[in-house]
Amino acid sequence: MEEGVERGMERDPDARWLARIMHTAFFLLLGASLARFLLRHDWEARSPWIVALTGALASLYLLGPVLGTRATPRRIAWLGTVVAVWVLLVVLAPSFAWCAVPLFYTGLRTLPARAALGLVALLTAFVVFAQVRLAHGGWDPNLIVAPPAVAALATGVFVYADRQAARQRALIDDLIRTRRELAAIERREGTLAERQRLSMEIHDTLAQGLSSQQMLLQAADRTWDGDPETARRHVRTAESIAERNLAEARRFVHDLAPADLAGGGGLEEALRGLAARESAAFRVDGAPVPLPDRAQSALLRIAQGALANIREHAGADSAAVTLTYLDDQVVLDVADDGRGFDPAERPGGVRGHGLPAMRVRAEQLGGTLTVESAPGEGTVLSAAIPLSSDS
């Protein structure tokens, strides 16, 4: 984790900006300290050592960025060498004491917390020592109080900023993780929705067609010996349904649009053809308006499902399909005079996907599906889709 934080600091532009400021401050303080010493003291025996140590300290400090910020053995050895050279300079010339401030930052950024605080305390002690020497024996409380105060302030600001940065990094990591989790949830929800849609498509097309073929072939088998002509008619009807199912399957593979709509004739033509195949009446009321493809597909699928239920379960003598265009919605009504049922007792219909699938199709477009039926009184199914629906 510490390595991740350090890498985050290395990538943080603010951290790099602060590091540049501290490096600049160090060299300015180092140069000012050397200038002060040379201006206030005559050339003496210690002067060559001070100049040499100043050059050595500047050279050593230039190596810092090359070694990075991680607390590697090389980095720690480098920091120890820099501090040792600075201590020698302070002992020889107290003017170099305030170079410790940038070293505070370097130690706090490089070392673990306890080691860094120990280094800050050591540097502060030498600063106090240097200030007392510069006072030439005069007593001044600021000489004792000011260096620790500055060190405490610098340390507090650094620790606070570092913790704030750590919290921000943790927050950003949490946000990224949450975003990934939300994206995964959306993908799963999209997958489930697509599976549900596919199941409804299969139910409304291939499954219903296969069921019809089965019923027709069973009827043909029962009448084959006694009424060959009727049996052949059943077989031809089953063949026609199989042909349409094949077209549906091919369209299903391509874009899942109803095959009746693939020719571009529109919803009215598709419903008229469907009603004719199911021996149902068809009527259009109101002035037709263009409908979105999804709305046309949904209404056609609802009609297919309703007529399939009539054929398989209602025992009806007649059925009628009505498409009505109103000012704010389009309504599809499918009515039959069959045996009916109690919607409260059979909310899902006899088949597993029938009415629930139709209701979902309508609701996905902001519409509603209602069923009015009673035992012995037939059934009226009504699907209403808003004309203003974006879907």
Side-chain angles (χ1 to χ4, degrees):
M1 181 176 179
E2 290 181 357
E3 291 183 0
V5 171
E6 288 160 356
R7 285 194 296 270
M9 290 180 65
E10 290 175 355
R11 293 193 299 266
D12 186 358
D14 291 335
R16 293 196 297 269
W17 170 76
L18 181 58
R20 293 192 194 100
I21 291 178
M22 288 298 174
H23 294 332
T24 303
F26 177 82
F27 288 109
L28 287 176
L29 289 171
L30 186 64
S33 299
L34 179 61
R36 182 181 187 277
F37 174 80
L38 294 177
L39 290 173
R40 295 200 174 191
H41 299 83
D42 296 329
W43 191 262
E44 51 188 285
R46 59 175 178 167
S47 297
W49 289 102
I50 292 174
V51 173
L53 289 172
T54 300
L57 184 58
S59 300
L60 284 170
Y61 201 83
L62 285 173
L63 292 175
V66 178
L67 300 177
T69 60
R70 297 169 54 187
T72 60
R74 291 177 58 190
R75 174 78 175 180
I76 294 174
W78 166 84
L79 181 59
T81 305
V82 169
V83 171
V85 174
W86 174 82
V87 168
L88 288 175
L89 270 174
V90 171
V91 171
L92 293 174
S95 303
F96 290 86
W98 288 111
C99 293
V101 174
L103 294 180
F104 289 163
Y105 169 79
T106 303
L108 289 168
R109 192 181 181 192
T110 301
L111 300 175
R114 291 185 178 180
L117 293 177
L119 177 62
V120 169
L122 175 64
L123 296 175
T124 304
F126 273 92
V127 172
V128 171
F129 163 76
Q131 294 302 303
V132 171
R133 284 188 58 188
L134 288 173
H136 302 292
W139 169 250
D140 186 347
N142 284 333
L143 300 179
I144 306 299
V145 176
V150 171
L153 180 62
T155 302
V157 170
F158 179 87
V159 171
Y160 173 79
D162 187 57
R163 291 180 178 177
Q164 283 288 97
R167 283 192 287 267
Q168 290 177 357
R169 286 192 294 271
L171 179 60
I172 292 172
D173 291 341
D174 289 340
L175 290 174
I176 293 174
R177 182 168 56 253
T178 301
R179 185 174 64 181
R180 290 174 179 171
E181 291 174 355
L182 289 175
I185 291 173
E186 290 177 356
R187 285 195 296 270
R188 287 195 295 270
E189 290 179 348
T191 301
L192 292 175
E194 184 66 11
R195 289 178 63 182
Q196 182 184 28
R197 188 172 72 88
L198 292 177
S199 68
M200 292 190 299
E201 293 286 348
I202 292 173
H203 170 267
D204 291 343
T205 55
L206 303 182
Q208 290 178 352
L210 291 172
S211 176
S212 298
Q213 292 174 55
Q214 182 185 33
M215 293 174 60
L216 289 167
L217 292 175
Q218 288 173 347
D221 183 63
R222 289 193 300 268
T223 60
W224 191 267
D225 295 328
D227 191 354
E229 184 61 30
T230 300
R232 290 189 185 92
R233 188 167 59 252
H234 289 328
V235 171
R236 287 194 295 270
T237 305
E239 181 183 6
S240 175
I241 293 175
E243 183 179 355
R244 293 203 60 79
N245 262 20
L246 179 60
E248 286 284 1
R250 288 170 176 168
R251 179 58 56 186
F252 187 80
V253 170
H254 284 89
D255 56 8
L256 301 181
D260 289 317
L261 295 174
L267 178 61
E268 293 83 2
E269 183 177 338
L271 288 174
R272 184 175 288 107
L274 174 64
R277 291 193 302 273
E278 297 291 345
S279 301
F282 175 70
R283 186 176 78 250
V284 177
D285 292 335
V289 296
L291 296 176
D293 292 341
R294 287 191 61 196
Q296 294 188 55
S297 177
L299 289 171
L300 180 58
R301 293 305 191 201
I302 291 172
Q304 288 175 332
L307 290 173
N309 284 343
I310 293 172
R311 181 179 65 247
E312 297 178 22
H313 310 301
D317 293 327
S318 63
V321 178
T322 304
L323 184 65
T324 304
Y325 291 93
L326 302 176
D327 292 338
D328 59 346
Q329 62 182 352
V330 58
V331 181
L332 173 71
D333 294 312
V334 182
D336 69 80
D337 59 357
R339 62 176 60 97
F341 65 97
D342 185 353
E345 294 182 0
R346 300 165 64 185
V350 174
R351 301 182 64 84
H353 282 69
L355 291 178
M358 299 179 209
R359 183 167 287 108
V360 169
R361 289 185 186 279
E363 291 175 350
Q364 286 177 342
L365 296 172
T368 59
L369 181 83
T370 58
V371 179
E372 298 178 3
S373 183
E377 298 184 7
T379 302
V380 177
L381 180 145
S382 180
I385 304 298
L387 290 177
S388 60
S389 174
D390 293 335
S391 301

